[in-house]
Amino acid sequence: MNRIHFISRRFVSKPHLRPSKQSKERLSSALFSSYTLPPPHNHGLAPIPLKNGQKLVALGDIHGDFSALVRALKVAQVIDQAATVTLETIESVAWVGGDRILVQLGDVLDRGISECSCWRLLTSLARQAEEKNGSVHMLYGNHEVLNMLNVWNYVEPGGDNEFDQDFGHLVTHNPIDGTSGSRSKALSPGHGSLIEPLISNFNLALQVGSTVLVHGGLTREHLLQNGGSIGKLNEAAREFVKTDFGNDKTKMRLKMPDFFGGGVSAQFSPIWMREYSKPSGGPVGYVVSHMIDALFEEIDKSNDLGGVGGVGGVERICVGHTPQEKLNSVLDGKIWRIDTGLSSGVAGGVAEVLQVEGIEGGMDIVTVLSERDGAVEGEAREIFRDLTSTFMSSHSSSCVFFDNLFSAIVSPSTDLISSSDLPFVRKKFLASVR
């Protein structure tokens, strides 16, 4: 999936007309308003209540495919099914979702050529939703962070055209990296043109009712290392995004928080980890089950300490990042994987979204909305197999075998579990499979 294009093939430097300072300011004011995303509920510092009968809709990775985004928004029932939506009619597309809460899990950028148009459509709907007691929220994906770091490996040929059109007039010299410079002008932390109206209003993770939403995943350790709550994580993410590093890319990368990190630290990052979403369409192991239980317990504890009411205990986490053939869940619905590889730049997958309806005093109603299958009860998409039952079907339950099995499962993930927890995890695991 990681198709890397060389800069020399991807970009063509071209001169830009230099309008006067006055005309630039008028153009910028009108243009940037079309990218304005309303600030999230309480700036992402506290969970968002899900009222009785209100619906949360979670939407996965978009990757610059405008037509795919439109399909998904129709499936989500937030724009008219019969609406003809084009790049030229973005501002006239009406929000029909009422008080729905729409959360897009990041990775709008890269692999497609309509990234700016996707953002403009989502922000237009967000501004309208606010007037109808609904809301649209956007999360950081790993590709948004890559772009802020000036990593262009996944930009499609032609992917800079929209950035050139909207932000090319801000480029005052030809960049030495061979790019047109417009993407950097829009996305650089602190001073990028889209930081203030748009990207600084993203969140790293959100809790809506009993559902936690994040691009890659979240662990108890992420919370404990960053102030103890999702709100503190969001606060730290926003602080980095709004910091102006000038043109000092080295300083920017050194100051980047661990939770935005990639490469060798990918497994520690909420935007990079895949422990909850792999294998695609398959079961997860016991260690992941323990990680989820510990995470939910920590989030509930942080909410209690913060005096948060009206959201209840966490029941599920929703992640994108890893393409699935269709939306599915594991661990009895505790983990939902909602990236279907929707973009034609990824897999051209089916348009599906997860809908969670709040029920006062009862269990949420979880439904998959699909352009192919219609409305599907959440339980129908659960993957019931787990790693221990798979092994149990073909092996005896000898102490030595399960000790070895535990070591095999845990060894790749020990850095995700504190050393003090390992004896407890081992004891609980062996007790569960004997």
Side-chain angles (χ1 to χ4, degrees), residues 156-218:
E156 283 290 297
D160 266 359
N161 291 349
E162 287 193 337
F163 282 94
D164 288 343
Q165 178 179 327
D166 285 357
F167 308 103
H169 65 283
L170 301 174
V171 179
T172 57
H173 63 278
N174 290 328
I176 60 174
D177 62 5
T179 72
S180 68
S182 58
R183 188 177 287 259
S184 179
K185 280 291 185 181
L187 303 174
S188 292
H191 63 271
S193 300
L194 289 180
I195 296 299
E196 186 63 32
L198 176 64
I199 298 172
S200 65
N201 288 325
F202 289 6
N203 280 299
L204 185 68
L206 274 181
Q207 181 182 350
V208 181
S210 57
T211 305
V212 171
L213 305 105
V214 64
H215 182 67
L218 199 62

Short mmCIF file of all heavy atoms in Angstrom, two decimals, residues 156-218:
data_model
loop_
_atom_site.label_atom_id
_atom_site.label_comp_id
_atom_site.label_asym_id
_atom_site.label_seq_id
_atom_site.Cartn_x
_atom_site.Cartn_y
_atom_site.Cartn_z
N GLU A 156 0.20 11.90 -4.14
CA GLU A 156 -0.05 11.39 -5.48
C GLU A 156 0.45 12.37 -6.56
O GLU A 156 0.46 13.59 -6.33
CB GLU A 156 -1.56 11.17 -5.70
CG GLU A 156 -2.09 9.92 -5.05
CD GLU A 156 -1.59 8.66 -5.72
OE1 GLU A 156 -1.90 8.45 -6.91
OE2 GLU A 156 -0.88 7.88 -5.05
N PRO A 157 0.83 11.87 -7.73
CA PRO A 157 1.07 12.79 -8.86
C PRO A 157 -0.19 13.63 -9.09
O PRO A 157 -1.29 13.08 -9.21
CB PRO A 157 1.34 11.83 -10.02
CG PRO A 157 1.83 10.58 -9.38
CD PRO A 157 1.08 10.46 -8.08
N GLY A 158 -0.05 14.91 -9.10
CA GLY A 158 -1.22 15.80 -9.22
C GLY A 158 -1.81 16.17 -7.89
O GLY A 158 -2.74 16.99 -7.82
N GLY A 159 -1.28 15.61 -6.81
CA GLY A 159 -1.84 15.87 -5.49
C GLY A 159 -1.62 17.28 -5.01
O GLY A 159 -2.32 17.75 -4.10
N ASP A 160 -0.65 17.99 -5.60
CA ASP A 160 -0.40 19.36 -5.19
C ASP A 160 -1.23 20.38 -5.96
O ASP A 160 -1.18 21.58 -5.65
CB ASP A 160 1.08 19.71 -5.37
CG ASP A 160 1.87 19.49 -4.09
OD1 ASP A 160 1.25 19.11 -3.08
OD2 ASP A 160 3.09 19.69 -4.10
N ASN A 161 -1.97 19.94 -6.95
CA ASN A 161 -2.69 20.90 -7.80
C ASN A 161 -3.65 21.77 -6.99
O ASN A 161 -3.72 22.99 -7.18
CB ASN A 161 -3.44 20.17 -8.91
CG ASN A 161 -2.51 19.56 -9.94
OD1 ASN A 161 -1.31 19.84 -9.94
ND2 ASN A 161 -3.04 18.70 -10.79
N GLU A 162 -4.44 21.15 -6.09
CA GLU A 162 -5.38 21.93 -5.29
C GLU A 162 -4.65 22.86 -4.33
O GLU A 162 -5.08 23.99 -4.10
CB GLU A 162 -6.33 21.00 -4.52
CG GLU A 162 -7.37 20.33 -5.39
CD GLU A 162 -8.47 19.69 -4.58
OE1 GLU A 162 -8.24 19.36 -3.39
OE2 GLU A 162 -9.58 19.51 -5.12
N PHE A 163 -3.55 22.39 -3.75
CA PHE A 163 -2.77 23.25 -2.86
C PHE A 163 -2.19 24.42 -3.64
O PHE A 163 -2.17 25.56 -3.16
CB PHE A 163 -1.66 22.44 -2.19
CG PHE A 163 -2.14 21.58 -1.05
CD1 PHE A 163 -2.48 20.25 -1.27
CD2 PHE A 163 -2.27 22.10 0.23
CE1 PHE A 163 -2.92 19.46 -0.23
CE2 PHE A 163 -2.71 21.32 1.28
CZ PHE A 163 -3.04 19.99 1.05
N ASP A 164 -1.70 24.16 -4.87
CA ASP A 164 -1.16 25.24 -5.70
C ASP A 164 -2.25 26.28 -6.01
O ASP A 164 -2.01 27.49 -5.96
CB ASP A 164 -0.62 24.68 -7.02
CG ASP A 164 0.68 23.90 -6.83
OD1 ASP A 164 1.32 24.06 -5.76
OD2 ASP A 164 1.06 23.14 -7.73
N GLN A 165 -3.44 25.79 -6.30
CA GLN A 165 -4.54 26.69 -6.66
C GLN A 165 -4.93 27.58 -5.49
O GLN A 165 -5.17 28.78 -5.65
CB GLN A 165 -5.74 25.87 -7.12
CG GLN A 165 -6.97 26.71 -7.47
CD GLN A 165 -8.12 25.83 -7.94
OE1 GLN A 165 -7.92 24.80 -8.57
NE2 GLN A 165 -9.33 26.24 -7.63
N ASP A 166 -5.00 26.99 -4.28
CA ASP A 166 -5.48 27.75 -3.13
C ASP A 166 -4.38 28.49 -2.37
O ASP A 166 -4.65 29.53 -1.77
CB ASP A 166 -6.21 26.81 -2.16
CG ASP A 166 -7.59 26.42 -2.66
OD1 ASP A 166 -7.99 26.92 -3.73
OD2 ASP A 166 -8.25 25.60 -1.99
N PHE A 167 -3.15 27.95 -2.39
CA PHE A 167 -2.11 28.53 -1.54
C PHE A 167 -0.83 28.88 -2.29
O PHE A 167 0.12 29.38 -1.69
CB PHE A 167 -1.77 27.56 -0.39
CG PHE A 167 -2.98 27.12 0.38
CD1 PHE A 167 -3.52 25.86 0.18
CD2 PHE A 167 -3.61 27.99 1.26
CE1 PHE A 167 -4.66 25.46 0.86
CE2 PHE A 167 -4.74 27.60 1.96
CZ PHE A 167 -5.27 26.34 1.76
N GLY A 168 -0.82 28.62 -3.59
CA GLY A 168 0.39 28.89 -4.36
C GLY A 168 0.79 30.35 -4.35
O GLY A 168 1.99 30.67 -4.45
N HIS A 169 -0.19 31.25 -4.24
CA HIS A 169 0.13 32.68 -4.25
C HIS A 169 0.91 33.11 -3.02
O HIS A 169 1.47 34.22 -2.99
CB HIS A 169 -1.17 33.50 -4.34
CG HIS A 169 -2.05 33.37 -3.14
ND1 HIS A 169 -2.83 32.25 -2.93
CD2 HIS A 169 -2.26 34.20 -2.09
CE1 HIS A 169 -3.50 32.41 -1.79
NE2 HIS A 169 -3.17 33.58 -1.26
N LEU A 170 0.98 32.25 -1.99
CA LEU A 170 1.71 32.59 -0.78
C LEU A 170 3.19 32.21 -0.88
O LEU A 170 3.99 32.59 -0.01
CB LEU A 170 1.09 31.87 0.43
CG LEU A 170 -0.38 32.19 0.71
CD1 LEU A 170 -0.90 31.30 1.84
CD2 LEU A 170 -0.55 33.66 1.07
N VAL A 171 3.55 31.45 -1.91
CA VAL A 171 4.94 31.01 -2.07
C VAL A 171 5.75 32.16 -2.67
O VAL A 171 5.42 32.69 -3.73
CB VAL A 171 5.02 29.78 -2.99
CG1 VAL A 171 6.48 29.33 -3.16
CG2 VAL A 171 4.18 28.63 -2.41
N THR A 172 6.80 32.55 -1.98
CA THR A 172 7.59 33.71 -2.42
C THR A 172 8.90 33.32 -3.08
O THR A 172 9.60 34.17 -3.61
CB THR A 172 7.90 34.62 -1.21
OG1 THR A 172 8.59 33.85 -0.21
CG2 THR A 172 6.61 35.19 -0.63
N HIS A 173 9.25 32.03 -3.03
CA HIS A 173 10.46 31.58 -3.72
C HIS A 173 10.32 30.09 -3.99
O HIS A 173 9.52 29.41 -3.36
CB HIS A 173 11.71 31.85 -2.87
CG HIS A 173 11.70 31.09 -1.56
ND1 HIS A 173 11.02 31.53 -0.46
CD2 HIS A 173 12.30 29.92 -1.20
CE1 HIS A 173 11.18 30.68 0.54
NE2 HIS A 173 11.94 29.69 0.11
N ASN A 174 11.09 29.61 -4.94
CA ASN A 174 11.03 28.20 -5.27
C ASN A 174 11.78 27.38 -4.21
O ASN A 174 12.98 27.60 -4.00
CB ASN A 174 11.66 27.93 -6.64
CG ASN A 174 10.80 28.48 -7.77
OD1 ASN A 174 9.57 28.50 -7.64
ND2 ASN A 174 11.43 28.91 -8.84
N PRO A 175 11.11 26.45 -3.53
CA PRO A 175 11.76 25.65 -2.48
C PRO A 175 12.91 24.82 -3.05
O PRO A 175 12.86 24.37 -4.20
CB PRO A 175 10.63 24.75 -1.97
CG PRO A 175 9.37 25.42 -2.39
CD PRO A 175 9.69 26.11 -3.68
N ILE A 176 13.92 24.57 -2.22
CA ILE A 176 15.08 23.81 -2.68
C ILE A 176 14.78 22.32 -2.78
O ILE A 176 15.56 21.57 -3.36
CB ILE A 176 16.28 24.03 -1.74
CG1 ILE A 176 15.93 23.58 -0.30
CG2 ILE A 176 16.72 25.48 -1.75
CD1 ILE A 176 17.11 23.63 0.64
N ASP A 177 13.64 21.86 -2.18
CA ASP A 177 13.33 20.42 -2.25
C ASP A 177 12.64 20.03 -3.55
O ASP A 177 12.26 18.88 -3.74
CB ASP A 177 12.47 19.99 -1.05
CG ASP A 177 11.11 20.69 -0.99
OD1 ASP A 177 10.78 21.45 -1.93
OD2 ASP A 177 10.39 20.47 0.00
N GLY A 178 12.46 20.99 -4.47
CA GLY A 178 11.87 20.66 -5.76
C GLY A 178 10.37 20.64 -5.78
O GLY A 178 9.76 20.40 -6.82
N THR A 179 9.71 20.88 -4.63
CA THR A 179 8.25 20.91 -4.59
C THR A 179 7.77 22.30 -4.97
O THR A 179 8.55 23.25 -5.07
CB THR A 179 7.73 20.57 -3.18
OG1 THR A 179 8.01 21.66 -2.31
CG2 THR A 179 8.38 19.30 -2.65
N SER A 180 6.46 22.42 -5.15
CA SER A 180 5.91 23.74 -5.47
C SER A 180 5.88 24.65 -4.26
O SER A 180 5.75 25.86 -4.38
CB SER A 180 4.49 23.58 -6.03
OG SER A 180 3.61 23.12 -5.01
N GLY A 181 5.94 24.07 -3.05
CA GLY A 181 5.96 24.86 -1.82
C GLY A 181 4.61 25.16 -1.23
O GLY A 181 4.52 25.58 -0.07
N SER A 182 3.55 24.96 -1.99
CA SER A 182 2.23 25.37 -1.51
C SER A 182 1.72 24.47 -0.38
O SER A 182 1.06 24.94 0.56
CB SER A 182 1.23 25.36 -2.66
OG SER A 182 1.16 24.08 -3.26
N ARG A 183 2.02 23.19 -0.45
CA ARG A 183 1.58 22.26 0.60
C ARG A 183 2.25 22.63 1.93
O ARG A 183 1.61 22.64 2.99
CB ARG A 183 1.90 20.83 0.20
CG ARG A 183 1.33 19.76 1.12
CD ARG A 183 1.66 18.36 0.59
NE ARG A 183 0.87 18.04 -0.58
CZ ARG A 183 -0.21 17.25 -0.56
NH1 ARG A 183 -0.63 16.72 0.57
NH2 ARG A 183 -0.86 16.99 -1.67
N SER A 184 3.52 22.93 1.89
CA SER A 184 4.24 23.33 3.09
C SER A 184 3.69 24.63 3.64
O SER A 184 3.54 24.79 4.86
CB SER A 184 5.73 23.47 2.78
OG SER A 184 6.43 23.88 3.93
N LYS A 185 3.37 25.59 2.76
CA LYS A 185 2.81 26.86 3.20
C LYS A 185 1.48 26.67 3.94
O LYS A 185 1.15 27.40 4.86
CB LYS A 185 2.58 27.79 2.01
CG LYS A 185 3.83 28.50 1.53
CD LYS A 185 4.30 29.52 2.55
CE LYS A 185 5.48 30.33 2.04
NZ LYS A 185 5.95 31.30 3.06
N ALA A 186 0.73 25.66 3.55
CA ALA A 186 -0.57 25.42 4.16
C ALA A 186 -0.50 24.64 5.47
O ALA A 186 -1.30 24.86 6.37
CB ALA A 186 -1.48 24.69 3.18
N LEU A 187 0.49 23.73 5.58
CA LEU A 187 0.43 22.72 6.62
C LEU A 187 1.53 22.79 7.68
O LEU A 187 1.49 22.03 8.64
CB LEU A 187 0.45 21.31 5.98
CG LEU A 187 -0.66 21.03 4.97
CD1 LEU A 187 -0.45 19.68 4.30
CD2 LEU A 187 -2.03 21.09 5.64
N SER A 188 2.51 23.66 7.53
CA SER A 188 3.60 23.72 8.52
C SER A 188 3.07 24.16 9.88
O SER A 188 2.30 25.13 9.97
CB SER A 188 4.68 24.69 8.05
OG SER A 188 5.34 24.18 6.91
N PRO A 189 3.48 23.46 10.96
CA PRO A 189 3.01 23.84 12.30
C PRO A 189 3.26 25.32 12.60
O PRO A 189 4.25 25.90 12.17
CB PRO A 189 3.86 22.94 13.22
CG PRO A 189 4.14 21.74 12.40
CD PRO A 189 4.34 22.27 10.99
N GLY A 190 2.33 25.91 13.32
CA GLY A 190 2.48 27.28 13.77
C GLY A 190 2.08 28.32 12.75
O GLY A 190 1.14 29.08 12.97
N HIS A 191 2.77 28.35 11.60
CA HIS A 191 2.53 29.43 10.65
C HIS A 191 1.81 28.99 9.37
O HIS A 191 1.51 29.82 8.53
CB HIS A 191 3.86 30.09 10.27
CG HIS A 191 4.82 29.17 9.58
ND1 HIS A 191 5.73 28.40 10.27
CD2 HIS A 191 5.02 28.90 8.26
CE1 HIS A 191 6.45 27.68 9.42
NE2 HIS A 191 6.03 27.97 8.20
N GLY A 192 1.56 27.70 9.20
CA GLY A 192 0.84 27.24 8.02
C GLY A 192 -0.54 27.85 7.92
O GLY A 192 -1.23 28.04 8.93
N SER A 193 -0.98 28.15 6.70
CA SER A 193 -2.25 28.86 6.51
C SER A 193 -3.46 28.08 7.01
O SER A 193 -4.48 28.67 7.33
CB SER A 193 -2.43 29.18 5.02
OG SER A 193 -1.37 29.98 4.55
N LEU A 194 -3.36 26.75 7.07
CA LEU A 194 -4.50 25.96 7.51
C LEU A 194 -4.42 25.55 8.98
O LEU A 194 -5.32 24.88 9.48
CB LEU A 194 -4.62 24.69 6.65
CG LEU A 194 -5.09 24.92 5.21
CD1 LEU A 194 -5.18 23.59 4.46
CD2 LEU A 194 -6.44 25.63 5.18
N ILE A 195 -3.36 25.96 9.67
CA ILE A 195 -3.23 25.57 11.07
C ILE A 195 -4.32 26.20 11.93
O ILE A 195 -5.06 25.52 12.63
CB ILE A 195 -1.83 25.96 11.61
CG1 ILE A 195 -0.75 25.17 10.88
CG2 ILE A 195 -1.76 25.68 13.12
CD1 ILE A 195 -0.83 23.67 11.03
N GLU A 196 -4.47 27.51 11.86
CA GLU A 196 -5.40 28.20 12.74
C GLU A 196 -6.87 27.88 12.44
O GLU A 196 -7.63 27.53 13.35
CB GLU A 196 -5.16 29.72 12.68
CG GLU A 196 -5.99 30.51 13.68
CD GLU A 196 -5.65 30.17 15.12
OE1 GLU A 196 -4.47 29.82 15.39
OE2 GLU A 196 -6.54 30.23 15.98
N PRO A 197 -7.30 27.95 11.17
CA PRO A 197 -8.73 27.71 10.93
C PRO A 197 -9.13 26.25 10.97
O PRO A 197 -10.28 25.93 11.23
CB PRO A 197 -8.95 28.28 9.52
CG PRO A 197 -7.63 28.14 8.85
CD PRO A 197 -6.60 28.36 9.93
N LEU A 198 -8.19 25.34 10.74
CA LEU A 198 -8.56 23.94 10.53
C LEU A 198 -7.82 22.98 11.44
O LEU A 198 -8.40 22.36 12.34
CB LEU A 198 -8.32 23.57 9.06
CG LEU A 198 -8.56 22.11 8.64
CD1 LEU A 198 -10.03 21.74 8.82
CD2 LEU A 198 -8.12 21.88 7.20
N ILE A 199 -6.52 22.83 11.23
CA ILE A 199 -5.78 21.71 11.82
C ILE A 199 -5.63 21.83 13.33
O ILE A 199 -5.59 20.82 14.04
CB ILE A 199 -4.41 21.57 11.13
CG1 ILE A 199 -4.63 21.26 9.64
CG2 ILE A 199 -3.58 20.47 11.76
CD1 ILE A 199 -3.37 21.29 8.80
N SER A 200 -5.59 23.05 13.85
CA SER A 200 -5.50 23.21 15.30
C SER A 200 -6.80 22.83 16.00
O SER A 200 -6.84 22.71 17.23
CB SER A 200 -5.11 24.65 15.67
OG SER A 200 -6.14 25.55 15.27
N ASN A 201 -7.86 22.62 15.24
CA ASN A 201 -9.14 22.19 15.81
C ASN A 201 -9.38 20.69 15.66
O ASN A 201 -10.47 20.20 15.98
CB ASN A 201 -10.30 22.97 15.17
CG ASN A 201 -10.32 24.42 15.65
OD1 ASN A 201 -10.01 24.70 16.80
ND2 ASN A 201 -10.68 25.33 14.76
N PHE A 202 -8.36 19.97 15.17
CA PHE A 202 -8.41 18.50 15.18
C PHE A 202 -8.14 18.02 16.61
O PHE A 202 -7.61 18.75 17.45
CB PHE A 202 -7.35 17.91 14.27
CG PHE A 202 -7.60 18.08 12.79
CD1 PHE A 202 -8.65 18.83 12.30
CD2 PHE A 202 -6.74 17.48 11.86
CE1 PHE A 202 -8.86 18.99 10.94
CE2 PHE A 202 -6.95 17.63 10.50
CZ PHE A 202 -8.01 18.38 10.04
N ASN A 203 -8.45 16.77 16.87
CA ASN A 203 -8.07 16.12 18.12
C ASN A 203 -7.31 14.84 17.84
O ASN A 203 -7.42 14.26 16.75
CB ASN A 203 -9.31 15.80 18.96
CG ASN A 203 -9.84 17.01 19.70
OD1 ASN A 203 -9.14 17.59 20.52
ND2 ASN A 203 -11.07 17.41 19.40
N LEU A 204 -6.54 14.40 18.81
CA LEU A 204 -5.84 13.12 18.70
C LEU A 204 -6.80 11.97 18.94
O LEU A 204 -6.75 10.93 18.28
CB LEU A 204 -4.68 13.07 19.69
CG LEU A 204 -3.78 11.84 19.60
CD1 LEU A 204 -3.00 11.83 18.30
CD2 LEU A 204 -2.82 11.79 20.78
N ALA A 205 -7.69 12.14 19.90
CA ALA A 205 -8.70 11.12 20.23
C ALA A 205 -9.91 11.83 20.82
O ALA A 205 -9.80 12.97 21.30
CB ALA A 205 -8.13 10.10 21.21
N LEU A 206 -11.04 11.17 20.77
CA LEU A 206 -12.27 11.71 21.36
C LEU A 206 -13.03 10.60 22.06
O LEU A 206 -12.98 9.43 21.63
CB LEU A 206 -13.17 12.32 20.28
CG LEU A 206 -12.95 13.76 19.84
CD1 LEU A 206 -13.99 14.13 18.79
CD2 LEU A 206 -13.02 14.73 21.01
N GLN A 207 -13.76 10.97 23.10
CA GLN A 207 -14.75 10.07 23.68
C GLN A 207 -16.11 10.70 23.47
O GLN A 207 -16.36 11.83 23.88
CB GLN A 207 -14.51 9.85 25.17
CG GLN A 207 -15.55 8.89 25.78
CD GLN A 207 -15.37 8.69 27.28
OE1 GLN A 207 -14.37 9.11 27.86
NE2 GLN A 207 -16.35 8.06 27.92
N VAL A 208 -16.98 9.96 22.79
CA VAL A 208 -18.36 10.39 22.59
C VAL A 208 -19.26 9.36 23.25
O VAL A 208 -19.32 8.21 22.81
CB VAL A 208 -18.71 10.52 21.09
CG1 VAL A 208 -20.16 10.99 20.93
CG2 VAL A 208 -17.76 11.48 20.39
N GLY A 209 -19.93 9.75 24.32
CA GLY A 209 -20.71 8.77 25.07
C GLY A 209 -19.79 7.68 25.59
O GLY A 209 -18.78 7.94 26.24
N SER A 210 -20.10 6.45 25.26
CA SER A 210 -19.29 5.31 25.72
C SER A 210 -18.31 4.82 24.65
O SER A 210 -17.76 3.73 24.76
CB SER A 210 -20.21 4.15 26.13
OG SER A 210 -21.05 3.78 25.05
N THR A 211 -18.09 5.62 23.60
CA THR A 211 -17.23 5.23 22.49
C THR A 211 -15.99 6.12 22.44
O THR A 211 -16.10 7.35 22.45
CB THR A 211 -17.97 5.33 21.15
OG1 THR A 211 -19.16 4.54 21.21
CG2 THR A 211 -17.10 4.84 20.00
N VAL A 212 -14.81 5.51 22.36
CA VAL A 212 -13.56 6.23 22.16
C VAL A 212 -13.16 6.09 20.71
O VAL A 212 -13.25 5.00 20.12
CB VAL A 212 -12.45 5.68 23.08
CG1 VAL A 212 -11.08 6.28 22.72
CG2 VAL A 212 -12.78 5.95 24.54
N LEU A 213 -12.73 7.18 20.09
CA LEU A 213 -12.37 7.18 18.68
C LEU A 213 -10.95 7.71 18.52
O LEU A 213 -10.60 8.75 19.08
CB LEU A 213 -13.35 8.03 17.87
CG LEU A 213 -14.83 7.65 18.03
CD1 LEU A 213 -15.53 8.67 18.92
CD2 LEU A 213 -15.54 7.52 16.70
N VAL A 214 -10.13 7.01 17.73
CA VAL A 214 -8.74 7.39 17.51
C VAL A 214 -8.29 6.75 16.21
O VAL A 214 -8.86 5.75 15.77
CB VAL A 214 -7.87 6.93 18.71
CG1 VAL A 214 -7.84 5.41 18.82
CG2 VAL A 214 -6.45 7.50 18.62
N HIS A 215 -7.27 7.33 15.57
CA HIS A 215 -6.87 6.83 14.26
C HIS A 215 -6.29 5.41 14.31
O HIS A 215 -6.74 4.51 13.60
CB HIS A 215 -5.85 7.76 13.61
CG HIS A 215 -5.43 7.33 12.24
ND1 HIS A 215 -6.31 7.33 11.17
CD2 HIS A 215 -4.25 6.86 11.77
CE1 HIS A 215 -5.67 6.88 10.09
NE2 HIS A 215 -4.42 6.59 10.43
N GLY A 216 -5.27 5.20 15.16
CA GLY A 216 -4.60 3.91 15.18
C GLY A 216 -4.93 3.07 16.39
O GLY A 216 -5.22 1.87 16.29
N GLY A 217 -4.88 3.67 17.56
CA GLY A 217 -5.15 2.95 18.79
C GLY A 217 -4.79 3.80 19.99
O GLY A 217 -4.23 4.89 19.86
N LEU A 218 -5.06 3.30 21.17
CA LEU A 218 -4.79 4.04 22.40
C LEU A 218 -4.53 3.02 23.50
O LEU A 218 -5.19 1.97 23.54
CB LEU A 218 -5.99 4.92 22.76
CG LEU A 218 -5.77 6.09 23.72
CD1 LEU A 218 -4.77 7.09 23.16
CD2 LEU A 218 -7.09 6.78 24.03
#
